Amino acid sequence: MQDKLDFNGKIVIVTGGGKGVGKGITERFLQCGAKVIICGRNKPEILPSANGENAVFFPLDVRDVDAIQLFVDTVVSDFGGIDVLINNAGGAPAADAATVSPRFSESIIRLNLLAPLNFSQSCNKVMQTQNSGGAIINIASVSAVRPSPGTAAYGAAKAGLVSLTSSLAVEWAPKVRSNTIIAGLIRTEQAHLHYGDEAGIAAVENTIPLGRMALPEDIGDACVFLASDLAAYISGSTLTVHGGGEKPAFLNAANAD
């Protein structure tokens, strides 16, 4: 069974893999023996590492289609193939849907939906030629399946990503498996920017059934599973990693004095 989680000799790409959730994903694959290539606009001060191996970094804006293809070509040339793609890069600042500019909304959709599609297309071309095929995992958000006030375009893009993943799973089978992870609230190095001080973070965690936010490595564990042979018959699926979700608001309202 342990052999099914052995990624020695496997080439894994993690977009935005140098910090936050991406760093947790990168470290988990390194721990499993993979060669991990990460990309982003800025090189992290310290490269993710495990078992004495560092991730390999390439500068890349994932919104640039031509740059994606050049990156993929370089990875294949330097490392011989691509076994796993994790489309992790994404995000959005808060914005009022009533007043936000069309240009802003387009940029959010380009980053969170079109970039994963373009990246997946480029990697699929490689994976289809490999005897072992490949696996693509898209990192979505609970914003895809519940209201996302303040980040409406982001939520819509992530919902689109869930739909996209299921379509790719049908079109690119049987060589390439495609799955989505819907991530809940995650405690990263920037959690204080969203939730305030430790008291604020604790208050938010009290709303989660499992009593804590996810850690980046929790998402990494889910990625390793979906990319592994343990998930060889899982494709077109959505794995929700949110600690049990959010307690319904009506429960507190009904019990209020």
Side-chain angles (χ1 to χ4, degrees), residues 120-170:
S120 297
Q121 283 181 319
S122 292
C123 289
N124 175 64
K125 293 175 186 176
V126 177
M127 294 173 175
Q128 292 290 344
T129 68
Q130 301 173 160
N131 291 335
S132 58
I136 296 173
I137 300 168
N138 293 315
I139 307 300
S141 163
V142 289
S143 293
V145 293
R146 59 142 169 83
S148 188
T151 53
Y154 171 80
K158 290 299 190 183
L161 188 60
V162 173
S163 176
L164 171 68
T165 304
S166 63
S167 295
L168 299 185
V170 175

Side-chain angles (χ1 to χ4, degrees), residues 28-52:
R28 277 298 194 249
F29 276 104
L30 288 170
Q31 289 163 3
C32 291
K35 172 67 72 174
V36 184
I37 297 92
I38 64 175
C39 58
R41 285 180 292 175
N42 300 304
K43 184 176 182 178
E45 293 183 8
I46 301 176
L47 287 172
S49 63
N51 300 333

Side-chain angles (χ1 to χ4, degrees), residues 213-229:
M213 294 185 198
L215 298 174
E217 51 264 38
D218 291 316
I219 309 303
D221 288 339
C223 287
V224 166
F225 164 67
L226 286 175
S228 76
D229 289 341

Side-chain angles (χ1 to χ4, degrees), residues 70-96:
L70 178 60
F71 168 80
V72 169
D73 290 343
T74 301
V75 170
V76 173
S77 175
D78 290 354
F79 301 101
I82 298 169
D83 298 291
V84 181
L85 168 65
I86 311 292
N87 280 309
N88 165 74
D96 181 2

Side-chain angles (χ1 to χ4, degrees), residues 5 14 18 23 38 65 75 83 96 112 117 131 165 172 178 180 191 202 245:
L5 294 173
V14 182
K23 181 172 182 286
I38 64 175
V65 178
V75 170
D83 298 291
D96 181 2
N112 292 283
L117 170 58
N131 291 335
T165 304
W172 296 348
S178 181
T180 308

